[in-house]
């Protein structure tokens, strides 16, 4: 009887969670030292600001730990490239727990991107941009997920500047999108320590493709890459040894637009891998950026571009699209040309808009907590 009752209670709480209509997003900034906590109510179709945490850094890139109890960020304001470790015990009052200085093998660089390995040893991988940014760093975490220290400094090649990384889902490989080197690198990840070793690299499909960010599918058979300079999305097959094979690419611009007027930004996979979202930014803040989505087949191949629509503004430095973790049809979009967060759906419509105009900061990227 007692067993049945607790079983029912578990079912009930699972059900309440699945039906929850309020979802929480954390947004970082370029410049102002705040993290914004935003809620999307998908029954009412509204976004609201529920928290503003004053932190000692401008995290232009945020990423979550595997269990979403910690968050890691860059620091756009820091002279010495720095990574910040945040505690998420209270989503509306986020605290800094540690700052890690990095970039030892680079010079004149900023921390630009950070990514958390989703399996033990939960190592965190940091990249740099600007100046001589050919280096990157691997960081260990304490048992509770807080950033501990740098355990590896390594280099790509002269002229490299890596703006993003992605892990193969079996945790075997890390892919690095080297925008200025026009390369995509495969490193092997040591499953015990998280330390990287060299495996292979592949040039962008054309001169000046400019791979910026990437994501893999859950089967680990494809890598999707956004090419910043060419304003394209590329699909690669991943061979068993981590070598990439270029399959195809698709435009993030309408016919006749000039890629040099744009700098494509992000790719993000929906939770059941039905859709791949992508975004593009306009250099000129009086022009619009673009948002797009592609339908994938069950094997992870891009089938069709569903829409390519202008965004509300240029996007500024952001226009960063992030698929929601709870509904394939929903993604968030951030903009720092005037400072706002939006929710878009898979038919290419903007569902909700929230201005966060804090002067020279909001909004960089967004992460979904639930
Ligand atoms: C996490 O662990 C580190 C190292 O033991 C400690 O300094 C820090 O206070 C811990 N954080 C929390 C929130 O318990
Ligand atoms: C890995 O590759 C980089 C770039 O080609 C090179 O500089 C470095 O020495 C290599 N590391 C090892 C351990 O071979
Ligand atoms: C990976 O496998 C492919 C196909 O078997 C082979 O052509 C390539 O040389 C291998 N690369 C490495 C780095 O082992
Ligand atoms: C931006 O676009 C506007 C309107 O098309 C144009 O007047 C302006 O010259 C452009 N600015 C730059 C820096 O290209
Ligand atoms: C997902 O979001 C779309 C767009 O708002 C909505 O039409 C659909 O009902 C949602 N699906 C679920 C399972 O909530
Ligand atoms: C957007 O962020 C960039 C990078 O910090 C900054 O240079 C720019 O002024 C910001 N835009 C606005 C309108 O605040």
């Amino acid at each position: 009887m007692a067993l049945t009752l607790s079983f029912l209670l578990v079912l009930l709480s699972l059900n309440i969670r699945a039906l929850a209509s309020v979802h929480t997003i954390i947004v970082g900034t370029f410049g102002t030292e705040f993290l914004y906590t935003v809620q999307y109510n998908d029954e009412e179709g509204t976004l609201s600001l529920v928290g503003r945490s004053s932190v000692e850094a401008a995290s232009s890139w945020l990423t979550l730990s595997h269990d979403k109890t910690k968050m890691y960020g860059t620091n756009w304001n820091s002279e010495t490239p720095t990574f910040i470790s945040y505690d998420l015990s209270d989503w509306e009052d986020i605290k800094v727990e540690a700052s890690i200085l990095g970039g030892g093998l680079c010079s004149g660089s900023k921390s630009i991107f950070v990514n958390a390995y989703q399996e033990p040893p939960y190592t965190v991988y940091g990249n740099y941009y600007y100046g001589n940014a050919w280096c990157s760093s691997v960081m260990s975490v304490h048992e509770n997920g807080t950033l501990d220290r740098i355990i590896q400094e390594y280099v790509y090649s002269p002229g490299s500047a890596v703006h993003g990384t992605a892990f193969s889902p079996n945790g075997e490989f890390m892919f690095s999108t080297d925008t200025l080197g026009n390369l995509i690198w495969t490193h092997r990840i040591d499953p015990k320590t998280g330390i990287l070793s060299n495996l292979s690299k592949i040039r962008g499909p054309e001169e000046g493709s400019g791979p910026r960010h990437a994501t893999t599918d859950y089967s680990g058979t494809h890598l999707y890459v956004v090419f910043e300079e060419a304003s394209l999305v590329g699909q690669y097959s991943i061979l068993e040894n981590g070598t990439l094979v270029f399959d195809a690419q698709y435009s993030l611009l309408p016919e006749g637009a000039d890629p040099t007027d744009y700098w494509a930004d992000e790719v993000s996979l929906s939770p059941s891998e039905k859709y791949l979202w992508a975004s593009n930014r306009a250099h000129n803040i009086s022009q619009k950026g673009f948002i797009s989505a592609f339908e994938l087949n069950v094997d992870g191949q891009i089938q069709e571009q569903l829409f390519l629509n202008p965004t509300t503004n240029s996007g500024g430095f952001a226009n960063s699209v992030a698929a929601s973790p709870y509904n394939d049809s929903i993604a968030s979009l951030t903009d720092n040309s005037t400072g706002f967060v939006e929710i878009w759906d898979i038919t290419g419509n903007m569902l909700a808009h929230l201005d966060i105009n804090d002067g020279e900061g909001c909004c960089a990227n967004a992460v979904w907590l639930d």
Side-chain angles (χ1 to χ4, degrees):
M1 178 61 198
L3 244 181
T4 317
L5 189 63
S6 61
F7 182 66
L8 278 176
L9 284 175
V10 166
L11 271 186
L12 196 64
S13 69
L14 282 177
N15 233 347
I16 286 166
R17 193 139 185 95
L19 293 175
S21 59
V22 172
H23 301 273
T24 304
I25 298 167
I26 308 289
V27 184
T29 78
F30 301 96
T32 51
E33 303 195 328
F34 297 111
L35 292 172
Y36 294 98
T37 307
V38 171
Q39 281 183 347
Y40 175 54
N41 184 320
D42 71 0
E43 270 164 23
E44 291 168 9
T46 52
L47 276 169
S48 47
L49 187 62
V50 297
R52 188 182 79 156
S53 307
S54 182
V55 289
E56 62 204 40
S59 281
S60 58
W61 189 261
L62 294 170
T63 198
L64 295 169
S65 68
H66 69 107
D67 58 3
K68 301 189 177 184
T69 62
K70 305 288 174 183
M71 184 169 68
Y72 313 110
T74 56
N75 187 355
W76 189 260
N77 287 346
S78 175
E79 289 288 325
T80 308
T82 305
F83 296 100
I84 312 289
S85 192
Y86 296 106
D87 179 64
L88 294 181
S89 303
D90 181 348
W91 291 355
E92 291 163 26
D93 184 16
I94 299 164
K95 296 271 191 281
V96 173
E97 280 196 300
S99 286
I100 306 286
L101 301 184
L105 302 175
C106 297
S107 57
S109 301
K110 276 180 194 270
S111 57
I112 199 78
F113 189 84
V114 61
N115 202 356
Y117 192 48
Q118 300 291 297
E119 292 168 49
Y122 305 119
T123 19
V124 175
Y125 297 79
N127 311 100
Y128 309 101
Y129 217 76
Y130 306 109
N132 174 4
W134 72 327
C135 76
S136 286
S137 304
V138 184
M139 289 164 274
S140 59
V141 295
H142 293 294
E143 215 161 286
N144 59 15
T146 303
L147 281 180
D148 179 12
R149 62 192 174 89
I150 293 192
I151 55 168
Q152 183 183 19
E153 299 267 22
Y154 66 99
V155 294
Y156 293 90
S157 45
S160 288
V162 167
H163 208 297
T165 58
F167 305 111
S168 66
N170 58 10
E172 217 180 335
F173 308 117
M174 187 181 87
F175 303 100
S176 305
T177 39
D178 178 350
T179 314
L180 298 186
N182 196 28
L183 293 164
I184 306 170
W185 299 74
T186 307
H187 283 83
R188 185 178 295 287
I189 306 172
D190 183 308
K192 282 217 172 64
T193 62
I195 295 278
L196 302 173
S197 54
N198 288 339
L199 266 184
S200 57
K201 58 178 188 276
I202 181 172
R203 292 204 69 76
E206 285 149 35
E207 274 315 303
S209 293
R212 174 187 170 88
H213 282 183
T215 187
T216 50
D217 57 5
Y218 302 134
S219 61
T221 53
H222 294 95
L223 183 77
Y224 313 96
V225 178
V226 62
F227 296 113
E228 174 170 339
E229 291 172 52
S231 284
L232 297 162
V233 167
Q235 176 194 306
Y236 288 83
S237 292
I238 306 172
L239 303 186
E240 268 182 31
N241 62 7
T243 294
L244 297 172
V245 178
F246 175 70
D247 296 331
Q249 59 185 6
Y250 303 85
S251 181
L252 291 178
L253 287 177
E255 197 81 24
D258 182 351
T260 63
D261 292 337
Y262 298 87
W263 44 328
D265 192 68
E266 185 59 316
V267 277
S268 182
L269 206 52
S270 76
S272 72
E273 305 201 325
K274 248 170 110 174
Y275 307 121
L276 179 72
W277 297 83
S279 58
N280 201 350
R281 306 168 282 181
H283 282 296
N284 184 331
I285 61 162
S286 62
Q287 271 151 21
K288 310 277 190 217
F290 289 94
I291 180 169
S292 185
F294 301 87
E295 182 155 14
L296 307 181
N297 68 14
V298 291
D299 297 323
Q301 289 152 335
I302 295 174
Q303 295 301 290
E304 186 193 351
Q305 187 165 25
L306 297 173
F307 67 89
L308 174 67
N309 286 350
T311 50
T312 306
N313 275 343
S314 69
F317 269 51
N319 243 19
S320 188
V321 68
S324 84
Y326 76 95
N327 182 332
D328 278 308
S329 302
I330 300 280
S332 63
L333 187 75
T334 51
D335 169 291
N336 96 311
S337 71
T338 59
F340 59 77
V341 186
E342 290 178 341
I343 301 294
W344 284 69
D345 78 1
I346 200 65
T347 62
N349 287 313
M350 194 253 284
L351 302 180
H353 176 103
L354 175 70
D355 287 313
I356 309 178
N357 184 351
D358 70 356
E360 276 276 306
C362 207
C363 300
N365 83 316
V367 293
W368 289 81
L369 292 178
D370 64 1

